[in-house]
Amino acid sequence: MLYRYLSWFESEPVDALLPYDGDAMSDFVTLGALTKVRRTRKIHCRQCGHEFALQLHSFQEIDVRCVVCAAQVEMTSEYMSTQVKLDWLPNALARRLAGPDAVPEMLVENRLWRVASASTVAGNIPIYLLRAGWYVDFPPILSRLQQESSGRQILLSSSPLINGQLDDANRVILAIDDVARVETEGLWLDVRRMGHEVTAPYPIWFDLDPSGDRLTIGDAVLVLRRNQKEFMRLLAAAHEAGHTAVNWKNLLRQSKYDAHYTALTQALPPEVFRFIDTAKGEVWIRKQALPLSRAGPALTSKAS
């Protein structure tokens, strides 16, 4: 049933009138996923030729004018129609994931909702619903997701047709019909599948040799010496636990750096900063190592 509903959920425009098919739609009307069924007239403008449809009572027909030029119109065919309630699915997901009183927050109009968050040892993991389709304006969606959190995210999409613009090492993208289903009594979630995605090991983009001697990002290799090994081991462990950045002073202290440092550049040589970045007292391993020509203290922001 959910697969059938998603085809309507993704339809454009969002307020489109859907010809009513009782066999396919009656359960969804009962659930509140579709609006009540109403009499609908197809309308033709005598002046500009525009055609459109409106849900009407008989007494309203005399007042109808063209929605484009306001000229007189003629009524043609008549049928029964319904509409998708876009808020039904995000509301149902929020209630299933966060309790009966939970309410989702729309982040991008009619396109992206934050429906819940899952508590883990690494902190809260936000869960989103994306209304997908054949054409989606991805930049505002990606921008909002990046503003929301720099940590792990779970994105439930109404379609498995996902544009690569949303791919990210920290973002798990799932087709919602892989983890949920609709029965006559409402929406049900596959708790085991969702739980697996929430608790799965955090994706990492680097390799730290078991001996702690070498850090590898792509084709770039950093040879670690003395206290650097423990510093990078602790930093890598924090990333593997889901933390996007760590206080560098605490790392230095745990790594047995005895001196008092006011900047991380005082403790680590320039070539190390090809592999790490730092800002506002925190440090993290870069997603890509800088070129050799740019070895030195980090000048970029945390978004690099």
Side-chain angles (χ1 to χ4, degrees):
M1 287 179 63
L2 179 58
Y3 177 79
R4 180 178 293 170
Y5 172 76
L6 292 177
S7 65
W8 304 321
F9 181 71
E10 292 181 350
S11 63
E12 299 288 357
V14 295
D15 58 353
L17 294 177
L18 307 174
Y20 180 67
D21 179 344
D23 291 338
M25 294 177 166
S26 59
D27 286 340
F28 295 97
V29 173
T30 302
L31 285 172
L34 299 177
T35 62
K36 292 182 179 179
V37 183
R38 291 186 62 182
R39 174 177 176 270
T40 304
R41 295 301 303 268
K42 192 170 183 180
I43 302 166
H44 174 78
C45 177
R46 297 172 178 172
Q47 182 166 310
C48 72
H50 180 65
E51 292 188 346
F52 58 102
L54 287 177
Q55 291 181 327
L56 296 169
H57 294 293
S58 297
F59 63 83
Q60 295 173 313
E61 293 181 2
I62 193 172
D63 298 321
V64 175
R65 292 292 182 271
C66 178
V67 295
V68 174
C69 68
Q72 289 188 333
V73 298
E74 60 181 358
M75 305 289 175
T76 56
S77 59
E78 177 180 322
Y79 59 97
M80 303 301 288
S81 74
T82 182
Q83 288 175 293
V84 174
K85 287 187 177 180
L86 281 186
D87 61 351
W88 179 81
L89 185 55
N91 277 316
L93 281 169
R95 290 192 295 268
R96 286 294 182 187
L97 288 165
D101 298 322
V103 177
E105 180 179 355
M106 185 186 294
L107 304 177
V108 177
E109 186 175 7
N110 298 327
R111 189 61 71 181
L112 180 70
W113 295 261
R114 189 195 317 110
V115 294
S117 62
S119 297
T120 70
V121 294
N124 288 330
I125 298 176
I127 301 173
Y128 304 91
L129 170 66
L130 171 68
R131 178 176 164 268
W134 282 104
Y135 172 77
V136 179
D137 186 16
F138 283 101
I141 296 169
L142 182 59
S143 175
R144 187 56 196 262
L145 287 171
Q146 291 172 337
Q147 293 173 21
E148 280 281 297
S149 170
S150 57
R152 190 174 191 180
Q153 299 173 330
I154 294 179
L155 183 65
L156 302 176
S157 172
S158 63
S159 171
L161 187 67
I162 300 297
N163 191 293
Q165 295 179 59
L166 294 182
D167 288 343
D168 187 275
N170 299 337
R171 187 172 301 124
V172 178
I173 302 177
L174 298 171
I176 190 172
D177 53 347
D178 282 345
V179 295
R181 70 182 191 276
V182 170
E183 303 290 351
T184 54
E185 63 271 27
L187 181 76
W188 290 89
L189 287 176
D190 185 335
V191 177
R192 287 185 175 274
R193 176 70 189 276
M194 283 293 295
H196 171 75
E197 296 299 341
V198 169
T199 60
Y202 199 82
I204 58 173
W205 56 95
F206 56 85
D207 179 67
L208 183 64
D209 187 270
S211 66
D213 293 333
R214 294 173 181 270
L215 174 71
T216 304
I217 303 176
D219 296 329
V221 179
L222 172 67
V223 178
L224 300 169
R225 299 177 176 83
R226 298 182 294 279
N227 297 40
Q228 296 172 15
K229 297 180 182 181
E230 183 64 7
F231 180 91
M232 209 62 72
R233 185 190 70 78
L234 292 170
L235 180 54
H239 284 315
E240 289 169 349
H243 299 283
T244 57
V246 185
N247 182 282
W248 62 261
K249 288 186 177 180
N250 290 340
L251 281 191
L252 289 180
R253 184 171 59 255
Q254 295 173 50
S255 304
K256 310 303 183 197
Y257 282 83
D258 297 327
H260 176 73
Y261 298 102
T262 59
L264 190 57
T265 54
Q266 297 170 343
L268 300 175
E271 62 267 19
V272 175
F273 286 90
R274 287 184 59 211
F275 294 80
I276 65 172
D277 202 356
T278 181
K280 298 180 180 179
E282 293 187 318
V283 63
W284 57 93
I285 297 175
R286 293 180 182 274
K287 296 296 177 66
Q288 292 181 325
L290 293 179
L292 286 169
S293 60
R294 294 179 60 188
L299 298 177
T300 56
S301 68
K302 186 174 177 179
S304 67

